[in-house]
Amino acid sequence: MINTNEILTRYSLRLTKTLGQNFLTDANIIRKITDAGEISEKDLVIEVGPGIGALTVSLAKKAGKVIAIEIDRKLMPALEETTGSFDNIELVNADVLKVDISGLIDGWPGNVKVISNLPYYVTTPIIMMFLEGNYPIERMVLMVQKEVAQRITAAPKTKDYGALTVGVQALGIPKILFNVSRNCFIPKPEVDSAVVRIIISDELKKKIIDHRIFHECVKAAFSQRRKTLLNSLGSSPFLDIDRETVRELLSVLNLKEQTRGEELSVDQFVLLSNLIAEKTAQGEMR
Ligand code: SAM
C-alpha cells in the first residue's frame, strides 16, 4: 500500500481542492473497489484521476492493462514512481473529457472497465461522456458523492430522478455497493461518499435506435424541470422536431400533453426517443 503522506511530503505536493483531490488512504476500501471490478487479465481498466496511484497499483495487480488518465501535471513524477514497477500501466497526462477514449480502447480484445475514485466537481460530465460515447464498456465502478449515487439509482417521480438517472439506467443496471467514511481520505472531503457499480447491458443498449437523439431528448426533457415535454422537446435546438409532432408522439404513447420529464419511466424515454428517431429519419429521406 502506498504511503500517501510520505509521498506528498517527499514531493512537496499540496493537493488542489478545485481538482477534487481527495486521496484514498484506506487499504480496505481500495480492495473493495478493486474486488467490485471483478477484474481479470483479459480486462482493460480505465482509471480517471489516479492521483498518486493508490488505486492504480491495486487495479494493475489484477488487470491485463490499466490506462490511468490524470489531469494534474504536478502529480506525474510521484505517480511515475509509485506505478514504475508495473509494465501494464499506461499513464496519460490529460483532461479525461478531452481524451480520445475510442483511440485508447481500440483493438483491446477483452472487456473494458472504468474504475475510479472520481473528482467530484466533474462527476456528471465524466459519467455522461462515457455513456454518450456508446463505448464497449462492460461496467463502471465509481466512487461518487452520496447524493450522486442516489440520483443514479433513483425512481421516477422522485426529486433525485433526472437526466443522470435516465442516462445511466437506459444503458445499464446501477447498484450502490457501500458507503465510504470521510476518514478514508486525505484531506477529508466535505461530503459523504458511496461506491456505485453500473453494469452496462448490450440488451438495453440495443433498444435505443439513435443514441444521440436519445441523450438529446433526455437532456432537453430535464433542462427545465417544470416544463412539459411538449414545450421542452418541441423547442430543443438539438432535436429536429416541432411541437405538433411531439403532440402526436405523446398520444401514440398514451401520454397526456402536460406530461413532464420526471413523470416518464426510463422505458418510456427510450420509446419516445425511438419515435423521434424514426420521425427524424423519415424527414431526412423526404
Ligand atoms: N485515484 C486517487 C485516489 O483514489 O486516491 C485520486 C482520486 S481524487 C478523488 C481525483 C483525481 O482526479 C485527482 O488526482 C485529480 O487531479 C484528478 N482529476 C481531476 N479532474 C480531472 C480530469 N478532468 N481528468 C483527469 N483527471 C482529473
Side-chain angles (χ1 to χ4, degrees), residues 233-284:
L233 303 184
S235 64
S236 165
F238 304 106
L239 293 170
D240 191 13
I241 193 161
D242 56 29
R243 279 170 59 92
E244 244 351 277
T245 316
V246 178
R247 188 174 279 131
E248 179 193 324
L249 300 184
L250 288 174
S251 82
V252 172
L253 294 176
N254 277 327
L255 292 166
K256 293 201 192 88
E257 275 192 18
Q258 302 81 3
T259 307
R260 290 195 295 265
E262 67 208 47
E263 296 172 284
L264 241 56
S265 69
V266 175
D267 278 347
Q268 284 173 314
F269 263 110
V270 173
L271 291 174
L272 181 58
S273 83
N274 283 348
L275 291 175
I276 295 175
E278 279 165 8
K279 281 280 176 199
T280 309
Q282 282 165 13
E284 276 162 11

Side-chain angles (χ1 to χ4, degrees), residues 128 132 162-164 166-167 211-225 232-233 236 238-239 269:
M128 291 313 291
E132 287 178 21
L164 182 63
V166 180
H211 284 257
R212 186 196 68 81
I213 290 179
F214 169 74
H215 288 291
E216 292 300 350
C217 181
V218 174
K219 267 190 258 179
F222 287 104
S223 59
Q224 284 162 294
R225 283 186 89 88
S232 57
L233 303 184
S236 165
F238 304 106
L239 293 170
F269 263 110

Side-chain angles (χ1 to χ4, degrees), residues 19-24 47-52 54-55 69-72 75 94-97 117-119 121-122 126:
L19 285 177
Q21 291 178 349
N22 298 95
F23 290 176
L24 264 172
E47 188 195 3
V48 179
I52 55 169
L55 179 59
I69 306 163
E70 172 58 57
I71 197 170
D72 190 353
L75 299 179
D95 178 346
V96 71
L97 295 173
N117 170 16
L118 284 176
Y121 77 100
V122 72
I126 292 175

Side-chain angles (χ1 to χ4, degrees), residues 181-196:
S181 151
R182 295 178 192 202
N183 296 324
C184 298
F185 304 87
I186 289 181
K188 248 191 201 185
E190 283 151 20
V191 295
D192 290 318
S193 300
V195 171
V196 286

